[in-house]
């Protein structure tokens, strides 16, 4: 499936090179392709209508790959995970910050920040963070803010060295996969962003025990390639801030807001 | 040998020869078909063997592709369950049911067939241990509780440093066995210490043989793949067709021989009957009258025109022969003038009566002589004499009984033989004759005609001469006593 996705991405990129009227929109592979399509469908439709341009939706192979695609000019606008955005800024990558996603929480409140959670199966003997020692653990991606960096920070804050104290460590990429793997008891514990938890069915939520919750993390940042026309960047910026989703279900895109960039930059301090 | 037998035998021999040739042909055809059937089975077995080997090759090929993927190596190194899952999912097919990525501790990093099931320890599995010890393993082992054809190989970074294991497995189930025998008439069965499955409904396979497999010995004991026919339906149908042909031929042979028999009977019997009649005639078992009678009878029964014509021709020919014979016989025994029996005929009849008298029959004879016949001839001529003789004969003939025989003994002398008649009866008859002649008015002779009659009765040990002599003596006495008299010799 990855290869298929890659090929489709490349195909779309090729198309985009020869079609100026198209805007290529890239996202991180934090969910399955179908889920990502569903999440972004309304936004894409909105932009297409307002800009009168076709939006080509691209999911990168992995987190870092999205940066490469932006750098190489294959992607015009992108949704970057907070840590990835911070990393890109640290690397001095020339992008325009457009806006920060607002996501609906389970109370139907649109929020620009979220939390990372460390969870385990309710039937597990792990009761506290300290019980994670020598237990298998599932992260999403080494570039994921809520699926890797914050959980590691939480571990360190609880006296666990994620490098040494954990048992087997697995990279599951998708946040939902962490949940399923825990429910399947393939891994003892895992980390993901709270939106995943919010969208879970009640009975599944009841099978999960939350061990730790991180501080507030700004949601993904929408950025534009430096190669994109400034007027167009400005127009997209305005359009994003005007966007208000008709959906209100948990974890769906509610709209966009502007956040100070230092909130992202401080994520660079995470290991 | 009879014509019927000859034709039946010769024709039957030819028919039998034709049928033997037919049977030989059918048997040859059967053997050819049987050979083709065996050959087909052999080809199918080879095909299934080949398919099996292809499955094993497919397992190894898939494992090698994955092992040589840098992303897979990276995935194993980083325990990237998701990436490994995505990669393995691409290779799962009808030939590959399970793809597992295992670390060097024997812990599953990812399962292609179960996205969320991993991180379990399978280090105790035979195939894992074999891969860790010997680099590869190709054999039968239990993978996640299912008996599988499993290929396991160690994954090495830069071709040197072992980083994990890839196991590629194909579940040995009914579906797998069916895929191997698909499109063939063969059945495949798998038997091990734990399970027994087969594509055949019946437990036992016909002409079963084992598939030749180059598999390493695994933890599963007594694992064998047997291939054979589920049923010999095709061969049985062939045999049945042959038997039916043979039975059909035998039946046809019997029917043909019976039909031939009846045809020959129908058409040859009449020929044979006619021929037999002629043979019997030739060998004097039949006289011409019998021949005529038999042919006449057969004419009405003739089924065919041809035989009917022959029979009619034979009948006409026989009739002509008979007529000629009758004419000759009549000529030889009849007096030409009076149309009465001649002397020879009278002598034969007398002989006959004498023979019959020996068996108890009796008879009498009357010797008759026209008185003074020489005077008639001399006075009126021979024509009138003949006229008198003819009419006298006719008159006498009209008087006597049918069983009596009257003949011309010579000149104007006649002899009358009276069977079953004693002397008295003979005398009565003689007197009737005398009277009849005496009172008869001849047309061309104006005078009365008288006759002398000498009667003699048969005596034991009489000979023709003795009885004739007595009759003659009686006649002589009648002549001497004045003529126109009946005398007898007692």
């Amino acid at each position: 499936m990855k290869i298929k996705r890659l090929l489709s991405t490349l195909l779309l990129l090729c198309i985009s090179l020869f079609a100026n009227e198209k805007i290529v929109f890239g996202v991180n592979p934090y969910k399955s392709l179908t889920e990502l399509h569903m999440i972004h469908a309304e936004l894409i439709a909105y932009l297409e209508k307002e800009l009168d341009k076709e939006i080509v939706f691209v999911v990168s192979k992995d987190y870092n790959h999205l940066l490469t695609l932006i750098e190489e000019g294959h992607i015009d606008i992108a949704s970057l995970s907070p840590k990835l955005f911070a990393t890109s800024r640290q690397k001095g990558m020339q992008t325009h910050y457009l806006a920060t996603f607002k996501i609906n929480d389970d109370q139907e409140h649109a929020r620009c920040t979220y939390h990372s959670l460390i969870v385990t199966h309710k039937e597990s003997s792990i009761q506290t963070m300290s019980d994670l020692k020598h237990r298998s653990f599932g992260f999403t991606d080494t570039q994921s803010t809520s699926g890797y960096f914050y959980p590691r920070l939480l571990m360190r804050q609880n006296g666990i060295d994620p490098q040494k104290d954990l048992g087997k460590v697995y990279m599951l990429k998708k946040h939902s996969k962490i949940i399923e793997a825990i429910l399947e008891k393939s891994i003892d514990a895992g980390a993901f962003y709270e939106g995943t938890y919010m969208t879970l069915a009640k009975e599944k939520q009841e099978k999960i025990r939350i061990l730790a919750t991180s501080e507030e993390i700004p949601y993904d940042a929408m950025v534009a390639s430096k190669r994109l026309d400034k007027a167009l960047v400005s127009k997209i910026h305005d359009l994003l801030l005007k966007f208000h989703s008709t959906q209100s279900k948990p974890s769906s895109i509610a709209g966009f807001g502007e956040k100070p960039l230092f909130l992202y930059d401080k994520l660079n301090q995470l290991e | 040998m009879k014509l019927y037998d000859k034709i039946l035998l010769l024709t039957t021999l030819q028919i039998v020869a034709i049928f033997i040739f037919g049977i030989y042909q059918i048997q040859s055809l059967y053997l050819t078909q049987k050979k083709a059937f065996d050959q087909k089975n052999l080809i199918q077995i080879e095909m299934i063997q080949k398919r099996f080997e292809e499955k094993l090759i497919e397992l190894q090929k898939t494992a090698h592709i994955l092992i040589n993927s840098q992303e897979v190596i990276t995935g194993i190194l980083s325990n990237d369950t998701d990436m490994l899952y995505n990669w393995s999912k691409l290779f799962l097919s009808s030939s590959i049911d399970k793809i597992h990525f295992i670390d060097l501790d024997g812990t599953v990093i990812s399962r292609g067939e179960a996205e969320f099931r991993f991180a379990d320890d399978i280090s105790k599995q035979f195939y894992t241990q074999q891969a860790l010890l010997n680099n590869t393993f190709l054999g039968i082992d239990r993978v996640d509780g299912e008996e599988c054809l499993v290929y396991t190989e160690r994954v090495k970074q830069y071709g040197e440093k072992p980083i994990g294991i890839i196991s590629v497995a194909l579940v040995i189930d009914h579906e797998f066995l069916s895929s191997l025998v698909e499109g063939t008439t063969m059945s495949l069965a798998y038997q091990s210490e734990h399970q027994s499955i087969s594509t055949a409904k019946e437990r036992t396979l016909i002409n079963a043989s084992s598939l030749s497999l180059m598999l390493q010995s695994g933890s599963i004991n007594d694992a064998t793949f047997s291939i054979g026919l589920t049923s010999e339906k095709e061969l049985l149908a062939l045999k049945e067709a042959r038997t039916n042909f043979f039975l059909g031929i035998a039946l046809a042979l019997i029917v043909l021989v019976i039909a031939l028999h009846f045809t020959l009977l129908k058409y040859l019997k009449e020929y044979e009957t006619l021929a037999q009649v002629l043979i019997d005639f030739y060998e004097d078992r039949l006289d011409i009258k019998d021949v005529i009678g038999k042919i006449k009878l057969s004419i009405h029964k003739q089924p065919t025109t041809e035989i009917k014509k022959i029979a009619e021709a034979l009948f006409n020919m026989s009739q002509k022969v008979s007529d000629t014979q009758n004419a000759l016989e009549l000529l030889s025994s009849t007096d030409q003038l009076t149309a009465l029996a001649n002397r020879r005929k009278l002598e034969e009849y007398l002989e006959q009566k004498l023979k019959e008298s020996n068996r108890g029959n009796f008879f009498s004879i009357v010797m008759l002589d026209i008185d003074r016949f020489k005077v008639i001839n001399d006075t009126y001529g021979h024509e009138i004499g003949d006229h008198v003789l003819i009419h006298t004969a006719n008159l006498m003939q009209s008087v006597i009984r049918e069983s009596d025989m009257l003949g011309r003994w010579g000149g104007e002398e006649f002899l009358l033989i009276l069977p079953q008649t004693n002397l008295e009866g003979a005398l009565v008859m003689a007197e009737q004759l005398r009277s009849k002649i005496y009172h008869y008015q001849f047309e061309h002779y104006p005078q009365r005609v008288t006759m002398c009659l000498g009667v003699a009765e048969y005596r034991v040990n009489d000979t023709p001469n003795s009885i004739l002599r007595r009759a003659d003596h009686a006649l002589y006495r009648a002549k001497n006593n004045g003529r126109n008299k009946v005398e007898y010799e007692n």
Side-chain angles (χ1 to χ4, degrees), chain B residues 30 34 232 234-244:
Chain B
Y30 167 76
K34 172 80 169 51
E232 285 186 304
E234 212 174 329
L235 189 60
L236 287 175
L238 202 61
K239 282 181 179 171
E240 198 182 322
R242 180 182 63 165
T243 309
N244 288 343

Side-chain angles (χ1 to χ4, degrees), chain A residues 65 77 81 133 138 204 211 213-214 221 256 268:
Chain A
H65 185 229
I77 55 173
S81 72
K133 280 186 179 175
K204 280 191 179 179
L211 295 172
T213 306
S214 72
F256 289 87
N268 285 323

Side-chain angles (χ1 to χ4, degrees), chain A residues 168-169 171 173-174 180 186, chain B residues 79-81 103 105 116 119:
Chain A
K168 297 272 183 188
V169 170
M171 295 298 158
K173 292 284 167 20
K174 290 153 188 78
E180 296 298 339
S186 291
Chain B
N79 279 4
D80 192 334
T81 302
D103 66 20
D105 298 331
F116 307 115

Side-chain angles (χ1 to χ4, degrees), chain A residues 1-5 61-62 136 168-174 176-177 180-181 184-187, chain B residues 71 78-83 85-87 89-90 103 105 107-109 115-120:
Chain A
M1 192 56 79
K2 279 268 184 183
I3 288 175
K4 278 185 187 172
R5 190 187 298 165
K61 186 179 69 178
D62 57 36
S136 62
K168 297 272 183 188
V169 170
Y170 300 94
M171 295 298 158
L172 279 74
K173 292 284 167 20
K174 290 153 188 78
S176 60
K177 200 168 171 177
E180 296 298 339
E184 191 77 23
K185 296 181 180 172
S186 291
I187 47 174
Chain B
E71 281 200 325
S78 61
N79 279 4
D80 192 334
T81 302
D82 186 62
M83 182 196 282
Y85 166 74
N86 286 332
W87 267 87
K89 228 167 50 167
L90 293 174
D103 66 20
D105 298 331
T107 305
V108 177
I109 304 169
E115 187 176 4
F116 307 115
R117 191 165 160 241
F118 55 92
D120 49 322

Side-chain angles (χ1 to χ4, degrees), chain A residues 27-47:
Chain A
V27 295
N28 292 131
Y30 63 95
K31 283 180 185 287
S32 72
L33 190 63
T34 315
E35 284 173 314
L36 291 170
H37 264 290
M38 281 173 66
I39 289 166
H40 295 87
E42 193 182 358
L43 173 64
I44 290 167
Y46 165 76
L47 290 175

Side-chain angles (χ1 to χ4, degrees), chain B residues 425-448:
Chain B
L427 286 170
V428 170
M429 177 59 75
E431 185 51 37
Q432 279 181 6
L433 288 170
R434 189 201 63 78
S435 177
K436 186 84 178 181
I437 299 297
Y438 180 73
H439 291 104
Y440 184 72
Q441 183 62 58
F442 287 87
E443 196 178 344
H444 301 296
Y445 180 64
Q447 305 294 321
R448 285 188 183 276

Side-chain angles (χ1 to χ4, degrees), chain B residues 206-466:
Chain B
I206 299 159
N207 296 333
S209 60
S210 292
L211 280 183
S212 158
L213 301 169
M214 297 296 286
L215 294 173
Q216 288 170 250
S217 54
S219 63
I220 306 294
N221 293 322
D222 306 323
T224 52
F225 288 91
S226 305
I227 186 163
L229 289 165
T230 312
S231 76
E232 285 186 304
K233 217 158 127 187
E234 212 174 329
L235 189 60
L236 287 175
L238 202 61
K239 282 181 179 171
E240 198 182 322
R242 180 182 63 165
T243 309
N244 288 343
F245 266 122
F246 285 167
L247 286 175
I249 281 178
L251 194 66
L253 184 62
I254 292 165
V255 169
L256 272 174
V257 171
I258 291 170
L260 183 65
H261 163 73
F262 283 110
T263 309
L264 288 176
L265 274 185
K266 187 178 175 185
Y267 293 101
L268 280 186
K269 194 180 175 184
E270 298 309 323
Y271 279 111
E272 205 173 54
T273 307
L274 290 175
Q276 193 57 50
V277 168
L278 294 176
I279 289 164
D280 288 347
F281 176 69
Y282 172 74
E283 291 176 354
D284 282 339
R285 285 192 289 275
L286 293 175
D287 61 21
I288 195 71
K289 284 192 175 62
D290 295 331
V291 170
I292 290 167
K294 282 187 178 288
I295 291 174
K296 198 175 178 179
L297 271 176
S298 69
I299 282 172
H300 302 293
K301 297 179 191 168
Q302 294 314 317
T304 62
T305 316
E306 191 185 23
I307 301 172
K308 200 168 184 172
K309 294 269 182 202
I310 292 169
E312 282 172 357
L314 278 173
F315 178 78
N316 291 338
M317 283 163 65
S318 305
Q319 192 71 54
K320 280 179 185 170
V321 170
S322 176
D323 290 349
T324 309
Q325 199 180 43
N326 287 341
L328 285 171
E329 274 180 9
L330 195 67
L331 206 61
S332 66
S333 62
T334 309
D335 176 62
Q336 285 189 349
L337 181 66
T338 61
L340 294 176
N342 62 13
R343 185 171 182 141
R344 192 175 66 82
K345 181 73 177 175
L346 287 168
E347 284 173 349
E348 281 177 8
Y349 195 68
L350 183 60
E351 286 274 351
Q352 178 72 25
K353 289 298 135 186
L354 283 167
K355 283 178 189 171
E356 288 173 5
S357 299
N358 293 335
R359 296 196 295 272
N361 290 329
F362 57 95
F363 70 95
S364 297
I365 64 168
V366 180
M367 189 71 84
L368 306 102
D369 187 76
I370 299 171
D371 295 335
R372 290 189 183 92
F373 185 71
K374 193 171 179 302
V375 177
I376 297 169
N377 267 344
D378 292 345
T379 310
Y380 294 95
H382 284 287
E383 282 186 8
I384 297 300
D386 287 348
H387 170 75
V388 171
L389 280 173
I390 291 164
H391 282 272
T392 303
N394 287 343
L395 279 172
M396 289 193 290
Q397 191 70 45
S398 67
V399 171
I400 63 170
R401 299 170 302 181
E402 202 160 323
S403 58
D404 301 339
M405 177 170 278
L406 177 66
R408 191 179 175 193
W409 191 250
E412 69 280 14
E413 203 171 28
F414 297 90
L415 180 68
L416 176 64
I417 301 166
L418 301 161
Q420 303 292 321
T421 310
N422 59 15
L423 183 62
E424 283 178 6
L427 286 170
V428 170
M429 177 59 75
E431 185 51 37
Q432 279 181 6
L433 288 170
R434 189 201 63 78
S435 177
K436 186 84 178 181
I437 299 297
Y438 180 73
H439 291 104
Y440 184 72
Q441 183 62 58
F442 287 87
E443 196 178 344
H444 301 296
Y445 180 64
Q447 305 294 321
R448 285 188 183 276
V449 174
T450 62
M451 289 184 80
C452 282
L453 297 95
V455 179
E457 189 185 16
Y458 164 76
R459 290 178 191 167
V460 177
N461 297 326
D462 252 344
T463 65
N465 284 338
S466 64

